[in-house]
Amino acid sequence: MKARIFGTAAAASLLLSACAEPPAPPREVPVKPPTQIDGVWYLDQNWSQDARQWYYNTSQGSQIMRYDWFMALEDPQTKAPFVKSLSRYGYPADAAGKWNPDGLPLGFVKDVDPDKTAWFGMTCAACHTGDLTVNGKTLRLDGAVTTGDLYGLISAIRDAVHTTTTVDGVFEPFSNRVLGPNANPQQRLALLEQLKAFDARFTAFVAQSTPATPWGPMRTDAFGMIFNRVSGIDLNIPKNNRPPDAPVSYPFLWDAPHQPWVQWNGLLPNNSAFDALGRNAGEVLGVFGDVTLKKPTIMHYYYDSTVRGRNLVAMENQLRQLRSPVWPDSIAGTVDIVKAAAGADLYQQNCVSCHTLLPRGETYTTAPIHMEPLFTWPYPNDPAKVIAAFNMICTQGIEAAVTAKMVAVNYASDPKMAVDALCRQSDTGAIAGVAMPPELLGGAKLKNPDTAVNLLSNAVIGAMLGDIVKDPGLIDDIIKSGSGGGSATPAWAAPSQSQSQSQSQSQSAALSAAASQPPGKPLDTTPFVKAGAPLTDQHRKIISVLQASSRVKPPVPAAGPSRAAAEKAKDPAKATQEFADTIKRLLAYKARPLDGVWATAPYMHNGSVPNLYEMLLPAAQRSASFRMGGGALDPVKVGVDSAAPSSTFLFDTSKPGNRNSGHEFGAHLTDTQRWQLLEYLKTL
């Protein structure tokens, strides 16, 4: 159907080309033209400006440092307030307004604890809102890849804090900004000691987060950072830290809530609202969220954390409404519809089997994905040999397994991220032997050591349970969200036009603290741990949510045998086969729908290919290195404009984790066909 539409449009174009401007490319549904606000252009992505600003400025529980300290911090290079320097690390400035009364950079927010302590932290938008510049205009794309350099930011904060505590003449004005000019010497000394303690902790954190190969902007080793945070910092076991040297591009978020598996390697199931909350809670723990990991008690069977569960559920509901950005003809140049018509056929022949089309004119609840294997298994039907090959990969490395003929290389791209995520082991310390959720509810005890994935899952589920038992409204939000009843933006997050500016600012300032004001006494968790303990309606609601989750297997019984008993009853041969199948599924990278792909450079899971044209070349013909970083768009090859002055980071594909091999599905095409397919990709 799509090919016929393009064919008709192409014929019309040829008839009119001699006497008129070429028509705009056909669109499946009407798309509103770009809108300019405060010098930035926004595309039609199905969000209102209020909804967008709410998303930019809603806390998820990230706490980098005390808010008053951060706002008083001076940039050692410019001597200006450090908060004004974040644009130097790729994080755009944002105008002050009802959602952002302090005028913080986009993606940063004040987070307020129940005890009223205020923190400076990151929102989801810090990593998942992208600015692209093309033809002198800046496009702000919701759900796209950030231009931010996370390592550059945290290392700069480290330097600024250390300068404040060690360089003569810097601390006194800092203390004046924090305490006021009339503070006494004892207050100043106490502040200095507190700042020195933070300096030591943060310096250690940055050292443990320093990769051998720089990530640069627009990338991070997400799993490495989360694993380090939970296993090294939250558990206070420094030996668990590893250099985070398997960087990936920040994934774009449109369609993500509708995919059955998320993360580049499809690690996390996404079958329920509880699954989605777990995915987002894990992300929070990787960006300065805190979780207290200590052995739980029968009445306190959960972990305390800074995760703002109700905000995360609301944001996931809003993201379900987000649509991909349509190529902006008026800004980036009109699509050649004759080439695009030919490209539509090429897409059907070469791409659609992995990259499903999601027409903008249709409502969808599922966004199908395809997992492309990293390896060929010589004995795919022998689960014992698959597991043996996996164990060799983890203990001796990929090349040893290849040499032993246990696997053959079938790289879709650099395999380091997927292998690291599955193979990494951690000392589980104080929570060894703890099941989250409790065994009675289907949880499994942590071993010691155990996989980093199991440790993270334990921490995330414990943190979510903590949020649920402290705030009954969260479980109701999850149930409503899972039934499709969630709204794009909570009513309390959308001030009416009739509100005064002061009312709007007050509501915005309270936003970050809204989820951290649990009403009443936390729920007694004894019924989750002790068989036969009486259940309340609230307990039953929580159990029903766990039953629907992919994170708890087997399904949680309302009463009956524990998970341990269920595991003993399982057929060993079936369990071995399931484990082998899981290994094969997860040692792969995800091919997802490509709507809006034009706005998501650089490409491959690790950002190792600068543009879509090179994605259609044989791997040997791709750039061995290229410059990137400022969000400049090349509208011809569709991707990073390496010649732009803002492209200052040199990406070297020879470095570990940066391989640009694989995905050679366009290698057999002629160059003419590549340009046709490229033109069609602009229209998705």
Side-chain angles (χ1 to χ4, degrees):
M1 181 65 180
K2 184 182 288 288
R4 290 200 299 271
I5 294 173
F6 272 104
T8 303
S13 174
L14 290 173
L15 291 172
L16 296 172
S17 60
C19 57
E21 290 291 321
R27 303 299 188 198
E28 295 160 351
V29 291
V31 178
K32 297 175 184 176
T35 302
Q36 187 180 29
I37 302 174
D38 295 328
V40 175
W41 291 88
Y42 294 87
L43 305 185
D44 179 9
Q45 293 187 254
N46 201 39
W47 277 6
S48 69
Q49 183 67 1
D50 252 353
R52 174 181 294 122
Q53 290 296 326
W54 174 82
Y55 175 77
Y56 294 168
N57 295 287
T58 296
S59 175
Q60 57 181 338
S62 167
Q63 298 182 347
I64 299 176
M65 66 183 294
R66 285 275 299 266
Y67 189 79
D68 54 347
W69 294 4
F70 188 87
M71 298 302 285
L73 202 61
E74 182 180 272
D75 186 333
Q77 296 185 37
T78 65
K79 309 303 180 186
F82 188 89
V83 69
K84 301 297 184 183
S85 298
L86 267 64
S87 59
R88 196 161 71 238
Y89 307 102
Y91 297 100
D94 200 18
K98 61 185 177 184
W99 299 115
N100 185 18
D102 292 345
L104 297 177
L106 193 150
F108 295 89
V109 72
K110 178 192 288 186
D111 180 83
V112 183
D113 275 339
D115 67 0
K116 307 304 182 185
T117 302
W119 301 86
F120 180 81
M122 305 176 76
T123 74
C124 292
C127 300
H128 300 291
T129 304
D131 277 9
L132 289 182
T133 57
V134 58
N135 294 326
K137 294 182 172 64
T138 298
L139 308 175
R140 182 153 296 164
L141 305 172
D142 294 318
V145 181
T146 180
T147 53
D149 178 355
L150 179 59
Y151 181 79
L153 172 64
I154 64 174
S155 59
I157 293 174
R158 172 203 60 195
D159 293 344
V161 171
H162 192 64
T163 296
T164 305
T165 62
T166 59
V167 175
D168 289 343
V170 179
F171 176 75
E172 184 174 354
F174 170 86
S175 68
N176 284 340
R177 291 189 288 270
V178 173
L179 301 173
N182 298 321
N184 61 48
Q186 289 78 15
Q187 290 173 310
R188 295 181 190 278
L189 181 60
L191 175 61
L192 178 60
E193 293 305 314
Q194 292 170 351
L195 192 64
K196 283 183 176 180
F198 174 80
D199 180 23
R201 293 194 305 272
F202 202 80
T203 296
F205 165 74
V206 174
Q208 294 156 1
S209 304
T210 300
T213 300
W215 308 328
M218 308 172 78
R219 302 195 308 162
T220 186
D221 182 350
F223 277 137
M225 291 290 282
I226 294 172
F227 290 159
N228 278 358
R229 181 81 192 185
V230 172
S231 68
I233 295 174
D234 294 330
L235 267 181
N236 193 28
I237 305 177
K239 70 176 184 179
N240 277 338
N241 288 300
R242 303 284 186 277
D245 55 4
V248 297
S249 287
Y250 295 97
F252 50 101
L253 295 189
W254 51 85
D255 309 335
H258 305 286
Q259 295 172 16
W261 300 92
V262 292
Q263 308 298 349
W264 287 111
N265 60 343
L267 179 65
L268 302 179
N270 195 36
N271 297 330
S272 71
F274 190 81
D275 290 342
L277 176 58
R279 160 171 46 91
N280 292 321
E283 174 268 330
V284 174
L285 298 184
V287 289
F288 308 99
D290 284 328
V291 59
T292 302
L293 297 179
K294 63 180 182 180
K295 202 170 288 291
T297 65
I298 189 169
M299 294 182 64
H300 186 289
Y301 207 94
Y302 54 86
Y303 303 136
D304 293 308
S305 78
T306 64
V307 173
R308 310 303 186 204
R310 300 194 73 176
N311 285 358
L312 293 178
V313 171
M315 282 187 275
E316 185 75 5
N317 287 338
Q318 181 167 313
L319 284 168
R320 290 192 181 101
Q321 315 302 319
L322 182 67
R323 300 306 298 262
S324 56
V326 169
W327 177 269
D329 307 283
S330 61
I331 294 175
T334 303
V335 172
D336 185 324
I337 60 174
V338 177
K339 289 182 179 179
D345 289 334
L346 291 169
Y347 191 92
Q348 290 292 331
Q349 297 164 20
N350 297 278
C351 310
V352 77
S353 60
C354 294
H355 297 289
T356 304
L357 289 170
L358 290 179
R360 286 181 64 90
E362 297 178 11
T363 299
Y364 58 90
T365 56
T366 301
I369 62 170
H370 168 79
M371 299 306 299
E372 183 65 23
L374 292 167
F375 305 109
T376 299
W377 305 87
Y379 307 99
N381 298 320
D382 187 333
K385 289 186 177 180
V386 170
I387 294 171
F390 171 67
N391 288 335
M392 178 172 278
I393 289 172
C394 290
T395 57
Q396 300 180 43
I398 296 169
E399 299 307 323
V402 171
T403 301
K405 302 188 185 305
M406 300 188 78
V407 297
V409 174
N410 182 33
Y411 295 151
S413 184
D414 193 301
K416 187 168 178 49
M417 175 265 185
V419 170
D420 283 4
L422 290 191
C423 292
R424 182 167 170 173
Q425 298 272 324
S426 295
D427 186 327
T428 54
I431 58 173
V434 173
M436 278 294 174
E439 286 186 282
L440 189 64
L441 300 187
K445 290 182 178 180
L446 277 179
K447 301 172 184 176
N448 195 14
D450 208 330
T451 64
V453 168
N454 284 345
L455 173 59
L456 176 60
S457 179
N458 183 287
V460 165
I461 292 175
M464 288 191 295
L465 281 177
D467 229 5
I468 289 169
V469 302
K470 288 186 287 187
D471 185 353
L474 174 55
I475 197 68
D476 294 329
D477 288 353
I478 294 171
I479 292 171
K480 183 180 179 182
S481 179
S483 66
S487 60
T489 306
W492 50 264
S496 67
Q497 295 299 316
S498 62
Q499 283 182 304
S500 68
Q501 180 70 6
S502 62
Q503 286 175 316
S504 297
Q505 290 185 349
S506 176
Q507 187 163 350
S508 177
L511 184 63
S512 64
S516 63
Q517 304 297 328
K521 183 180 179 181
L523 187 70
D524 180 4
T525 54
T526 300
F528 297 151
V529 186
K530 183 179 178 181
L535 298 170
T536 65
D537 287 344
Q538 191 67 13
H539 291 116
R540 293 188 183 93
K541 284 182 180 180
I542 295 172
I543 290 173
S544 70
V545 166
L546 290 173
Q547 285 176 326
S549 172
S550 303
R551 292 175 171 270
V552 183
K553 292 184 179 297
V556 181
S562 68
R563 178 172 181 177
E567 290 292 338
K568 288 180 182 178
K570 184 183 290 186
D571 179 355
K574 183 179 180 181
T576 300
Q577 183 66 59
E578 288 177 355
F579 184 41
D581 291 343
T582 299
I583 289 170
K584 289 187 291 184
R585 181 180 64 79
L586 292 179
L587 286 177
Y589 288 139
K590 181 172 65 177
R592 60 183 290 173
L594 294 184
D595 52 315
V597 69
W598 65 269
T600 64
Y603 298 101
M604 300 282 251
H605 82 284
N606 58 357
S608 59
V609 179
N611 53 63
L612 288 176
Y613 176 75
E614 291 197 20
M615 283 296 297
L616 302 175
L617 293 174
Q621 296 179 28
R622 295 172 184 156
S623 298
S625 63
F626 58 92
R627 293 194 174 276
M628 56 172 279
L633 175 69
D634 177 348
V636 178
K637 291 186 175 180
V638 188
V640 172
D641 182 356
S642 294
S646 60
S647 297
T648 58
F649 177 76
L650 181 64
F651 191 110
D652 184 349
T653 64
S654 69
K655 299 294 185 181
N658 286 1
R659 188 197 304 263
N660 65 356
S661 59
H663 198 282
E664 297 190 273
F665 304 110
H668 69 285
L669 299 175
T670 67
D671 209 46
T672 296
Q673 289 174 319
R674 291 188 186 108
W675 288 111
Q676 291 169 341
L677 183 52
L678 181 67
E679 206 69 9
Y680 174 67
L681 291 174
K682 293 180 183 179
T683 71
L684 296 181

